[in-house]
Amino acid sequence: MASLLPVPEVSMPLVLNLSSSPSLWTLFTVNRPLLYKQRRKIQSSFPLLTTMAVHTQGGLSISSLNTHELAPKREKIELETDAISILNERIRRDHGKKEATRPVMDSQEADKYIQMVKEQQQKGLEKLKGYRENKEGGVFSYKVDPYTLRSGDYVVHKKVGVGRFVGIKFDVRKASTEPIEYVFIEYADGMAKLPVKQASRMLYRYNLPNETKKPRALSKLNDTSVWERRKTKGKVAIQKMVVDLMELYLHRLKQKRSPYPTSPAMAEFAAQFLYEPTPDQKQAFIDVEKDLTERETPMDRLICGDVGFGKTEVALRAIFCVVSAGKQAMVLAPTIVLAKQHFDVISERFSKYPSIKVGLLSRFQSKAEKEEYLNMIKKGNLDIIVGTHSLLGSRVVYNNLGLLVVDEEQRFGVKQKEKIASFKTSVDVLTLSATPIPRTLYLALTGFRDASLISTPPPERVPIRTCLSAFGKEKVIVAIQYELDRGGQVFYVLPRIKGLEEVMDFLEQSFPDVDIAIAHGKLRGRVGRADKEAYAYLFYPDKSLLSDQAMERLAALEECRELGQGFQLAERDMGIRGFGTIFGEQQTGDVGNVGIDLFFEMLFESLSRVEEHRVVSVPYQSVQIDININPRLPSEYINYLENPMETIIEAEKAAEKDIWSLMQFTENLRRQYGKEPYSMGILLKKLYVRRMAADLGIIRIYASGKMVGMKTNMSKGVFKLMTDSMISDVYRNSLLFEEDRIKAELLLELPREQLLNWIFQCLAELHASLPALIKY
């Protein structure tokens, strides 16, 4: 039986830098007259004439080859597979429009907003999770208590990887007679045991963000390299996620609006609330008021609390604040029933303010009524507009929208959620939810979204007792009879309209003296608002027909029965089905590499050290490349360039601007003149090397024998993040970080062109890690 041994962390660092530009006049061959004779623009995808450069001891010798003899298909393949094309494709994929529109920050601004993100993260953890501390330094932790595990559960050991929990039992150490408790975990190549105390510091549950709960494979005790690669991949994915979130957050911070004024009328409006607010409610009131009256950026706050806990009152006060300042408020609900409820509550609460007009836009209105409402909204004659997703349609034009209140966001479709997200850059948004969707919850937990948790129940409220059971007519009859005997009401809810009549017949036969009616509506949330204990029976047809995930979600409903546990239920659901996508583009598949719990802990660790993940670029002109290589362009190629001197100047300008501009220049050049000759490729690679070095914070690149050195301003931590994300072991394993430079020891001394190619490929791999780093 093997014992777990610590697995050392794999660390790999890297950085690069470039310098002076070549003299333009040395780029051309001496055949000067050809620069001005017979010059013509090539319109086809491939040049009529191209040159092949062959390296000799004397430098470059030029030979010509008529391209009519070459098959276009082969030319196309070469264009798609050369090193520059591959790099360009990566730049387009990773950067694209996003990189071109990246917010520009100076150093001072970057410091300020990174600090704000860290503060937001801390607030998110404190308010939503409380302090879950482990014994070593009070670090936030998702580690699992071994005693809560069941035999067969999949777990993650931070150093070894994914295993299957077998059980806990007493065993005696070799040099001792006293038995202690051990956790036994099955791996692919054997059984491991470790003391319970050690296990509590190293183990996590292994949950996946999809239907299947089973990992692809168990890790190996005697070979942890696969697990290390999976963990590294997860770490890189997390780092990219953090940077994307920070840019999203920065974009929000850059949106400005004047703070709303405070007035005595706000206190008068609040005084109309008939109940004594709970402590959580009071804090939510304060949070929202500060968002609106003290900040210059639009609010994006989640109010999380069980039904009947007072979320609507928070929204009403926010609406009053905004509408009093002359702006419109939109209240968005997923169903017309909920929208009508909101309309009634709002109308009653604002009835003392005749100047504030409230309207409900619904499908039950006639076409003429709807047109009149749309016109009133456009002219600003309606102050508060309540409705369903129809409020998000293109025909609804707001006069001066200031606030969007979204009730139960999780019940809207993908397109509606994206539309809701688009409002967040221009108006204040308040989201109300008993069980927020995983994405919303995730952003709140990470601190990139403000959140207030109302978990304190109102006085005299008692929890709903939830019972989970296979369906049986006798069980149903007993449950209903119990409720009738104590003078209560019963709602019998089906997931679909089909089958209602059949149930009606069954109930009428079982309870002939009871009034029974059919209504089409939704579930459990309206049950148990009074001071009398309510019951919710959740019946399923047959256990064998349910997936593991369905059973787990039902069990979560049964377990989270206490008041105020809507948030915990949402968190359980996030663990069961994953938190989905953050940006609406793709599922976060990298979670599956390490499991959700370890993924979250790595995420929080990355957030807490976010300031260490910066890359400080250097000016392009300050980069020095001390490699003596100045290729001369062949006369044949020069003849086909419309203005060769201007082309070279444009190339240098593009490289000086940014990598995106250099990529566009190269692709335009190839579209116009076809694939460049070898010597022009060398020139382009030199420009790319210098540009990438500047982006990476590399000031100088030089070679000495078999050693390549790159002087840089990057930290060792950034170097490790970069090398961790490198695909090629060849480049990763050759790099070493020492003080202020990256070094690479080659196997042999390379000719200048091959050396440039090596540096180009190495920098291209390092440059690919930039989306995972903070840049300013």
Side-chain angles (χ1 to χ4, degrees):
M1 193 171 290
S3 294
L4 287 179
L5 297 174
V7 177
E9 292 285 337
V10 177
S11 65
M12 296 163 186
L14 172 51
V15 175
L16 309 175
N17 231 329
L18 305 179
S19 120
S20 57
S21 57
S23 171
L24 294 178
W25 293 105
T26 63
L27 295 172
F28 307 105
T29 50
V30 290
N31 201 351
R32 281 327 227 185
L34 289 178
L35 285 173
Y36 303 99
K37 290 181 183 177
Q38 302 173 341
R39 185 191 303 130
R40 53 199 173 104
K41 196 172 181 180
I42 307 300
Q43 301 297 335
S44 66
S45 300
F46 310 108
L48 294 177
L49 191 71
T50 201
T51 59
M52 296 176 65
V54 182
H55 181 76
T56 65
Q57 287 185 340
L60 288 176
S61 64
I62 308 301
S63 62
S64 298
L65 182 65
N66 193 321
T67 358
H68 286 304
E69 299 171 8
L70 292 176
K73 187 175 180 182
R74 180 180 171 188
E75 180 82 15
K76 188 175 181 182
I77 291 171
E78 288 176 359
L79 275 170
E80 289 174 349
T81 58
D82 76 282
I84 290 178
S85 294
I86 293 169
L87 175 59
N88 284 346
E89 179 56 35
R90 197 269 301 162
I91 293 167
R92 186 178 296 282
R93 184 180 66 248
D94 287 354
H95 296 247
K97 290 182 180 178
K98 175 189 156 193
E99 184 69 14
T101 58
R102 181 186 292 275
V104 178
M105 285 185 293
D106 59 28
S107 177
Q108 192 173 4
E109 186 181 22
D111 290 337
K112 181 181 177 182
Y113 107 84
I114 285 172
Q115 186 57 38
M116 289 180 71
V117 168
K118 292 187 73 173
E119 288 172 5
Q120 284 293 103
Q121 178 210 2
Q122 194 57 40
K123 288 178 184 176
L125 298 184
E126 288 177 14
K127 291 186 178 181
L128 295 177
K129 296 292 299 178
Y131 287 104
R132 286 168 69 173
E133 304 175 350
N134 72 10
K135 295 175 183 176
E136 299 176 15
V139 180
F140 183 87
S141 175
Y142 267 93
K143 296 178 181 71
V144 67
D145 179 354
Y147 292 106
T148 64
L149 293 169
R150 293 177 297 182
S151 182
D153 285 350
Y154 290 102
V155 293
V156 179
H157 187 284
K158 202 168 186 178
K159 297 289 186 182
V160 179
V162 183
R164 187 186 290 107
F165 175 76
V166 176
I168 299 175
K169 70 173 185 176
F170 282 94
D171 202 353
V172 181
R173 287 182 176 178
K174 286 183 179 179
S176 173
T177 57
E178 186 179 342
I180 63 169
E181 281 188 300
Y182 283 94
V183 173
F184 288 82
I185 303 170
E186 178 189 357
Y187 286 93
D189 56 350
M191 188 77 70
K193 70 172 185 179
L194 63 162
V196 170
K197 284 186 179 179
Q198 184 185 343
S200 64
R201 296 195 301 267
M202 303 298 289
L203 288 183
Y204 304 78
R205 286 188 185 275
Y206 184 78
N207 293 318
L208 289 176
N210 51 35
E211 286 282 345
T212 176
K213 303 299 295 180
K214 189 176 180 181
R216 289 171 297 198
L218 296 183
S219 302
K220 292 184 177 180
L221 278 171
N222 298 313
D223 180 11
T224 58
S225 59
V226 174
W227 166 245
E228 286 298 329
R229 285 196 297 271
R230 287 173 68 177
K231 197 165 64 169
T232 296
K233 189 178 178 185
K235 194 182 295 182
V236 172
I238 284 167
Q239 190 56 31
K240 286 183 180 178
M241 194 180 298
V242 167
V243 172
D244 285 336
L245 281 170
M246 292 192 77
E247 288 179 356
L248 196 71
Y249 185 74
L250 176 66
H251 182 65
R252 199 180 94 200
L253 289 179
K254 284 184 174 288
Q255 309 305 310
K256 299 294 181 185
R257 59 120 173 92
S258 299
Y260 288 96
T262 56
S263 67
M266 289 173 63
E268 292 171 11
F269 182 84
Q272 297 172 26
F273 188 46
L274 299 176
Y275 309 99
E276 177 64 28
T278 64
D280 289 344
Q281 261 186 308
K282 288 179 182 177
Q283 187 58 52
F285 296 153
I286 293 169
D287 291 341
V288 173
E289 186 174 332
K290 282 185 175 180
D291 287 348
L292 293 173
T293 63
E294 296 182 11
R295 282 169 44 168
E296 295 183 342
T297 55
M299 171 179 69
D300 181 18
R301 182 171 290 275
L302 165 68
I303 306 294
C304 184
D306 281 5
V307 289
F309 275 37
K311 300 188 298 295
T312 303
E313 178 63 21
V314 178
L316 288 171
R317 297 186 186 192
I319 291 169
F320 185 84
C321 177
V322 170
V323 172
S324 298
K327 292 199 172 186
Q328 292 172 306
M330 181 199 339
V331 180
L332 194 62
T335 66
I336 192 61
V337 173
L338 277 176
K340 181 66 166 61
Q341 286 180 351
H342 281 303
F343 173 73
D344 292 341
V345 170
I346 293 168
S347 298
E348 182 183 351
R349 191 67 184 278
F350 282 84
S351 60
K352 296 182 181 179
Y353 305 90
S355 62
I356 297 176
K357 305 297 182 186
V358 185
L360 173 66
L361 195 66
S362 81
R363 66 174 183 272
F364 297 120
Q365 293 167 322
S366 67
K367 188 175 182 181
E369 288 175 324
K370 199 170 283 187
E371 289 298 324
E372 183 185 357
Y373 264 63
L374 289 173
N375 192 44
M376 290 176 69
I377 295 169
K378 188 174 182 179
K379 289 184 176 179
N381 296 333
L382 272 183
D383 302 290
I384 306 170
I385 304 98
V386 186
T388 59
H389 60 273
S390 59
L391 292 181
L392 301 173
S394 57
R395 296 198 62 216
V396 186
V397 180
Y398 297 89
N399 180 274
N400 190 15
L401 186 65
L403 174 67
L404 168 63
V405 177
V406 185
D407 189 18
E408 300 300 346
E409 183 186 16
Q410 75 273 16
R411 292 169 65 181
F412 288 94
V414 174
K415 287 185 179 179
Q416 284 84 39
K417 287 173 188 169
E418 289 178 354
K419 181 72 174 178
I420 291 168
S422 70
F423 277 98
K424 294 182 181 181
T425 58
S426 56
V427 303
D428 293 274
V429 179
L430 192 64
T431 303
L432 315 177
S433 183
T435 53
I437 58 174
R439 177 183 179 274
T440 300
L441 180 63
Y442 170 79
L443 290 172
L445 282 171
T446 53
F448 283 99
R449 186 171 185 182
D450 299 313
S452 300
L453 177 61
I454 305 178
S455 58
T456 313
E460 299 183 354
R461 275 289 300 277
V462 291
I464 300 169
R465 290 191 60 182
T466 304
C467 308
L468 181 65
S469 171
F471 178 81
K473 287 187 178 182
E474 288 303 316
K475 293 178 184 177
V476 173
I477 292 171
V478 169
I480 293 175
Q481 192 61 58
Y482 174 82
E483 190 61 35
L484 293 174
D485 290 344
R486 66 175 192 156
Q489 281 182 316
V490 177
F491 292 85
Y492 193 119
V493 183
L494 268 70
R496 60 189 62 84
I497 294 174
K498 184 182 178 182
L500 283 177
E501 297 294 340
E502 185 181 332
V503 171
M504 182 74 164
D505 292 341
F506 159 64
L507 292 175
E508 285 178 337
Q509 290 174 20
S510 304
F511 305 96
D513 300 326
V514 176
D515 293 331
I516 304 172
I518 288 181
H520 302 160
K522 304 273 181 166
L523 205 44
R524 170 184 158 176
R526 304 292 110 183
V527 178
R529 284 175 173 259
D531 58 358
K532 185 177 288 188
E533 184 177 40
Y535 290 80
Y537 291 86
L538 305 178
F539 293 112
Y540 49 85
D542 184 347
K543 224 175 204 178
S544 63
L545 299 177
L546 299 178
S547 67
D548 290 342
Q549 188 189 43
M551 285 302 301
E552 195 166 349
R553 294 178 77 178
L554 286 172
L557 282 171
E558 188 178 31
E559 290 170 23
C560 296
R561 63 177 66 178
E562 296 301 317
L563 289 173
Q565 281 196 307
F567 171 78
Q568 282 77 13
L569 180 61
E571 189 187 27
R572 282 287 302 275
D573 186 44
M574 178 167 64
I576 294 166
R577 66 186 175 105
F579 41 78
T581 172
I582 301 170
F583 307 106
E585 294 174 0
Q586 62 181 18
Q587 189 75 14
T588 316
D590 297 288
V591 179
N593 281 316
V594 295
I596 288 174
D597 286 0
L598 180 55
F599 187 87
F600 260 95
E601 185 154 301
M602 289 164 69
L603 172 66
F604 288 126
E605 184 183 349
S606 182
L607 279 165
S608 66
R609 298 167 56 195
V610 73
E611 71 278 5
E612 298 174 17
H613 303 147
R614 294 191 211 172
V615 169
V616 183
S617 60
V618 296
Y620 175 83
Q621 295 295 348
S622 70
V623 177
Q624 219 175 317
I625 305 177
D626 295 339
I627 297 172
N628 185 22
I629 177 169
N630 294 305
R632 295 175 180 271
L633 301 184
S635 57
E636 292 88 346
Y637 185 68
I638 292 169
N639 285 337
Y640 290 108
L641 295 176
E642 188 173 345
N643 190 329
M645 181 66 76
E646 192 174 301
T647 299
I648 301 303
I649 293 172
E650 284 178 9
E652 185 83 20
K653 284 182 178 178
E656 186 173 358
K657 187 177 180 184
D658 54 42
I659 193 78
W660 179 257
S661 300
L662 181 56
M663 180 270 289
Q664 288 182 309
F665 168 84
T666 306
E667 292 191 342
N668 288 337
L669 183 73
R670 289 178 167 188
R671 270 193 295 271
Q672 191 170 354
Y673 298 108
K675 179 71 162 58
E676 70 280 348
Y678 179 82
S679 53
M680 184 64 179
I682 291 293
L683 171 62
L684 288 173
K685 281 183 180 177
K686 194 169 181 182
L687 294 175
Y688 271 97
V689 163
R690 196 173 176 203
R691 177 67 261 167
M692 289 189 289
D695 292 342
L696 291 163
I698 294 171
I699 305 156
R700 180 182 173 227
I701 298 178
Y702 59 95
S704 177
K706 295 188 290 184
M707 192 275 290
V708 176
M710 305 181 214
K711 195 174 187 312
T712 180
N713 62 23
M714 77 171 67
S715 68
K716 191 169 184 178
V718 166
F719 172 77
K720 185 180 185 313
L721 274 170
M722 286 185 172
T723 49
D724 279 349
S725 64
M726 292 178 82
I727 297 170
S728 170
D729 290 338
V730 173
Y731 295 104
R732 183 195 300 119
N733 296 337
S734 65
L735 296 172
L736 181 69
F737 190 85
E738 289 182 0
E739 295 180 353
D740 63 347
R741 66 198 63 224
I742 298 166
K743 291 184 177 180
E745 195 73 31
L746 306 181
L747 294 175
L748 66 159
E749 191 171 342
L750 296 175
R752 290 171 301 170
E753 287 84 358
Q754 290 183 35
L755 181 62
L756 182 69
N757 283 332
W758 189 94
I759 294 170
F760 175 90
Q761 296 284 12
C762 185
L763 284 181
E765 289 223 15
L766 286 172
H767 198 269
S769 66
L770 281 182
L773 295 161
I774 300 162
K775 295 162 282 297
Y776 67 81

